[in-house]
Amino acid sequence: MKNYTLKDISELAGVAPITVSRVINNDKYVKAETREKILRIIREKGYHPNFAARSLVLKKTKIIGLMVADLENPFFSRLTRGVIQTAENNGYNIITCESKFDNSIGKKYLNMLMDKGIDGLLLANMNVSTDTINDLRRRRIPFVLLTCRMEMPDVNYAIADDYQGGRLAADYIIKLGHKNIAFLKGPDISSSNERFLAYKREMEKNNLEIKDYFISEEVINQYGGYKVTTKLLKEHKDITAIIAINDFVAIGALEAILDLGLSVPENVSLIGYDNINFTKLLKVPLTTINYPKYRCGVAGTKMLLNMLNSKKLNFKERVILKNKLIVRKSCSQIN
Amino acid sequence: MKNYTLKDISELAGVAPITVSRVINNDKYVKAETREKILRIIREKGYHPNFAARSLVLKKTKIIGLMVADLENPFFSRLTRGVIQTAENNGYNIITCESKFDNSIGKKYLNMLMDKGIDGLLLANMNVSTDTINDLRRRRIPFVLLTCRMEMPDVNYAIADDYQGGRLAADYIIKLGHKNIAFLKGPDISSSNERFLAYKREMEKNNLEIKDYFISEEVINQYGGYKVTTKLLKEHKDITAIIAINDFVAIGALEAILDLGLSVPENVSLIGYDNINFTKLLKVPLTTINYPKYRCGVAGTKMLLNMLNSKKLNFKERVILKNKLIVRKSCSQIN
DNA sequence: TCAACTAATGAAAGCGCTACCATATCTTCA
DNA sequence: TGAAGATATGGTAGCGCTTTCATTAGTTGA
C-alpha cells in the first residue's frame, strides 16, 4: 500500500531508472525481454508516473483552459462538448471556467487558469482586451477565440459568420412585411456586434427607420430577455417583431410576451439565433438561425492543438462556418 | 522576454530563493521592506510561480476531476455550475469529462483524469464499480458521488432523495386516477433505480398491475425517449400516463406523443423529473419533480474540499436533499 | 579486418520549487 | 543581565521525472 516511484520500479527490476522511463515512453531501445519484465512489475505494483514531475521537465501539462461566458446556456454546452471530445481524443484535458460576460470575473479566472500551467487556452465568446492578449503573449500561452473574433495579427479564431446570420434573420423578418422591428442587443462582443450591425444595415437598405427604442440595452440571459421585452412591449405598442440576440434571450422574450397576454406570432413575431436544443419544442416553436456550435468547438480545438504541436506562435488561421435559417412558427406575415 | 524563475527573482533581489518563496506563500517571517522589494521585482518581471514544480513538492495540484454523464443535459449544466463556482471560490479548478452513461468510456476518462494528478474526484450520476472504487482507494484519491449513491463504508455522496421524489411522481399520477401507467426507465444507477422502485411500490400499494410492457428498456437521452415512446404508444393504446426517468427523456417523449397526433394531457399524461430549465416553456408545460441540482453540486464539492483539507480518508458524510412536485400542465385527471 | 554503424543500457545533472534545519539578531522580562 | 523566545534569513537536500552524454556489445560492409 504505497505509492511507487519510477525509481522503485527500476530497483525492483534491477535496471536504471532511465530504462523504466524508456519503457513508459515507448522508446525503442529496450530489449523486448527487459520491457516485459518492467511492464509486469509496473502492473503488479500499480505504478503510475507522477504527473507533476513529468510536467516539470517536459514543460507541458496537456491541459487546455476553456473560458465560456455562461455554463447554463445550451449553446455553450454543445460547444463545450465539441471541445472536450476533441481534446480528449488527443490526450488533452479541459479545465472550464465561466466568465459570465463580466470582464473582471473573466480576468480573475483567466489568471487562475494561466497560473495552473495550462498549455493553451480557448476563449469562447469573450470580449478580450488588448491587455489580456499581451499577457497571454508574454506568458507564451497559445490561444484561440471561439465564436468571436478580433482582427489582430496572430489572433486566431473559429466562428460562424455572424454578419451573414444576422442578415438572414433581419431579411426574413423584413420580407414578412414588418417595419417596427426591435432588436434585443447582446454584450459588446464581435458575435453580438455583427448580428446587430447586420440588422442595422438591412433596416437601412430597406429604408426602415430605426427608432431608438427599437434597440434594447445589453441583455445576457433569459431573465434579461424577459425583463427587457416586458418593458419594451408595455411602452411601445407599435412593435410587431423582435429579433433577439440569441435563443436564450429569445426564450425569455417569449415568456414575457405570453405573460403580457399577447400571442406569438399573431401579435409579435420573434426570431432567435443559435438554434439551441429545445427551441423546436417551445410553446411556440422558435424560428431561429442555426449556429454550428459543435463543429465550431471542434474546429477551434483542432486549431489550438496544431499550434501546440508546431510550437511556432505566428500562426494565422481562421475558420468561418456558415449559419442557416430555421423557419418554425414564431414569425408571420404582417397584415 | 524570458520566463523568470524563482531563483532569477532571488538573485535580482539579492536574497536567497527561499526568501522569495516565503513572500509568495505569505510567510510572516519576512521583513516588510524585503517583501516589498521582492514583490516589486516580481511585478516588474512578470514572474509567475511554476505550477508543476510546486505541485511536485507539495503533492497537490488544486485540480478536481468531474465526471458527468451527459454534458448536454441541462441537469448537468446546472450541477456543474454549482461545482465549478464552489471549487473556484476555494482556489480549485475543475477538469470535466463525460461518461455518456457508458462504463467503459467512463473508466477510460477516469484513468486519464487520475493520471493527471487530480487531488480529488466528483462522480456525477455514474455507476461506479467496486473495481473503480478500489482503484481510487489504492491511488488515494478522495472522491464524492454526486446525484447517486452507493451504500459502502467510506463512500460519501450528495444527492436528493430519489425514492421520495419517485413517490411524489407516482402518487400524483395515481391520485389522478390513472391505472395503466408506463415508466421510461433509465440506466442502472441508484438515482434511476430508486425512482423506478418508488413507482413499483406505489403501484403495488394501490393494487395496480404492472404489465411488462409498462416498463421501457433503458433510456438515456431525449432521442431515446422519443423512440421508446413512439413504439410504446403505437403498440399499446391502453396507456394513459407516462412517468419519464427525467425531463430530458420526457421532452423526447412529448415530441413523440405530439408527432403521433395525440395530445398531452388529454390522451396521455406525462410527468418528468429534475425540473430542468425550459420545461416550463414547452409546448405543454411539463409537470415534474424539482431536483435541487445547484445545491447538490455545491454540497458535494464542499464535502470533497473538506476531505482534501482534513487528510483523513475515513470520512462518513452524506447530504440528502429533498425534491418537490412541480405541477404544470402535462397531467390530468382520467375520465 | 577495421571503421562505422545500430542496439541496449546507465551515470549524472537538472527542471523550479519547498521542507528542514541552522544561524544570527533582536526583544522581553524575571 | 542573561536565558528564552520571537524575528529574519539562508544552506542543503530532494520531490520524481527526463535529457544529455557515455559506454558496451553486437552487426554490417568494403
Side-chain angles (χ1 to χ4, degrees), chain B residues 113-174:
Chain B
L113 225 38
M114 292 194 285
D115 289 344
K116 228 74 178 196
I118 51 168
D119 290 346
L121 193 56
L122 294 166
L123 296 162
N125 219 32
M126 196 184 166
N127 189 346
V128 189
S129 66
T130 332
D131 260 23
T132 302
I133 303 254
N134 287 336
D135 247 33
L136 287 165
R137 291 220 174 109
R138 204 172 312 117
R139 297 178 73 163
R140 287 191 193 68
I141 300 180
F143 65 96
V144 168
L145 306 184
L146 252 37
T147 73
C148 65
R149 64 164 134 191
M150 275 179 88
E151 293 303 343
M152 280 175 73
D154 304 338
V155 172
N156 304 327
Y157 53 77
I159 60 169
D161 186 339
D162 291 291
Y163 187 78
Q164 172 249 341
R167 282 189 50 178
L168 246 35
D171 258 12
Y172 179 68
I173 293 287
I174 292 172

Side-chain angles (χ1 to χ4, degrees), chain A residues 1 48 51 62 70 72 78 81 85 88 97-98 100 109 116 139-140 251 281 283, chain B residues 1 48 51 62 70 72 78 81 85 88 97-98 100 109 116 139-140 251 281-283:
Chain A
M1 263 301 213
H48 296 273
F51 165 72
K62 293 256 182 181
D70 185 346
E72 278 196 73
R78 183 93 188 126
R81 180 180 258 171
Q85 290 185 348
E88 280 172 352
C97 289
E98 188 184 22
K100 297 183 158 174
Y109 292 131
K116 227 76 177 196
R139 296 178 74 162
R140 289 191 192 67
I251 289 173
L281 283 165
K283 267 182 192 166
Chain B
M1 261 305 213
H48 295 274
F51 165 73
K62 292 255 182 183
D70 185 347
E72 279 196 72
R78 184 92 188 125
R81 179 179 259 171
Q85 290 187 348
E88 281 173 349
C97 289
E98 189 183 22
K100 298 183 157 175
Y109 292 132
K116 228 74 178 196
R139 297 178 73 163
R140 287 191 193 68
I251 288 172
L281 283 164
L282 293 175
K283 267 183 193 165

Side-chain angles (χ1 to χ4, degrees), chain B residues 226 254-262:
Chain B
Y226 185 91
L254 175 60
E255 204 177 354
I257 299 171
L258 300 180
D259 281 359
L260 287 170
L262 298 170

Side-chain angles (χ1 to χ4, degrees), chain B residues 58-112:
Chain B
L58 295 178
K59 295 176 188 332
K60 298 203 164 163
T61 55
K62 292 255 182 183
I63 295 177
I64 292 174
L66 169 66
M67 177 73 84
V68 300
D70 185 347
L71 281 170
E72 279 196 72
N73 186 335
F75 175 85
F76 292 106
S77 304
R78 184 92 188 125
L79 182 82
T80 299
R81 179 179 259 171
V83 169
I84 291 190
Q85 290 187 348
T86 310
E88 281 173 349
N89 287 339
N90 291 278
Y92 282 78
N93 282 109
I94 297 291
I95 292 185
T96 311
C97 289
E98 189 183 22
S99 75
K100 298 183 157 175
F101 291 106
D102 178 319
N103 278 337
S104 69
I105 294 181
K107 197 137 196 175
K108 179 177 150 201
Y109 292 132
L110 215 65
N111 280 324
M112 203 167 157

